[in-house]
Amino acid sequence: MKKIIVVIVLVVIGIASYFYVSKNHRNIAKEEATYQFTADELASQFAINPDQAESKYLNQVIKVSGTISEANELELVLDHTVVCLFQNTPNLPSKNKILTLKGRFIGYDNLLEQLKLDQCIIIN
């Protein structure tokens, strides 16, 4: 009887794990942005109260505008504070150009004082 219960529990755990791993992923490109900021406005909210701001914006789709301060194949940085990670390599505009993009907020790095977005797409 104990062996049957153990097998049933293992099967249930296996099925639950499969559905958890294979659930549909969000398509940030099709979602509307919940919030819209300039990079400086967003950074100032984290300067005032980082914990409250992070809990408010975590996993939310946001639009951010700013000047490109750094760029490489998979990421760019707006106004030295917002790091945007891309899934696909886009044709990135040159440095010092003003840009608006949309992405999912994934966290705040206290050490580098950077805000991180992933699945970013360039709006203009």
Side-chain angles (χ1 to χ4, degrees):
M1 186 66 175
K2 288 182 182 180
K3 290 181 182 180
I4 293 173
I5 293 173
V6 169
V7 169
I8 291 171
V9 168
L10 290 176
V11 168
V12 169
I13 290 172
I15 291 170
S17 298
Y18 171 77
F19 283 111
Y20 178 76
V21 171
S22 67
K23 67 181 176 180
N24 292 335
H25 297 285
R26 291 174 68 179
N27 187 347
I28 301 303
K30 292 183 180 179
E31 287 188 37
E32 287 295 319
T34 310
Y35 301 98
Q36 185 169 348
F37 303 101
T38 65
D40 291 334
E41 290 170 343
L42 187 58
S44 69
Q45 290 189 33
F46 281 84
I48 294 168
N49 191 337
D51 293 330
Q52 181 183 14
E54 186 166 27
S55 66
K56 180 177 181 180
Y57 301 120
L58 190 63
N59 210 25
Q60 299 293 318
V61 177
I62 60 174
K63 277 186 187 177
V64 180
S65 300
T67 304
I68 299 173
S69 53
E70 298 175 41
N72 64 37
E73 292 177 358
L74 296 176
E75 70 180 24
L76 65 81
V77 180
L78 297 177
D79 295 330
H80 303 284
T81 57
V82 179
V83 178
C84 306
L85 307 170
F86 295 93
Q87 287 183 319
N88 303 320
T89 306
N91 293 329
L92 294 176
S94 60
K95 214 172 169 183
N96 298 323
K97 182 174 180 188
I98 295 174
L99 185 70
T100 300
L101 50 81
K102 177 172 71 168
R104 179 177 64 119
F105 179 76
I106 58 171
Y108 176 64
D109 184 341
N110 290 348
L111 182 62
L112 300 174
E113 295 181 348
Q114 290 182 330
L115 306 155
K116 303 219 179 208
L117 302 173
D118 73 349
Q119 301 180 37
C120 292
I121 60 167
I122 296 173
I123 303 297
N124 65 2

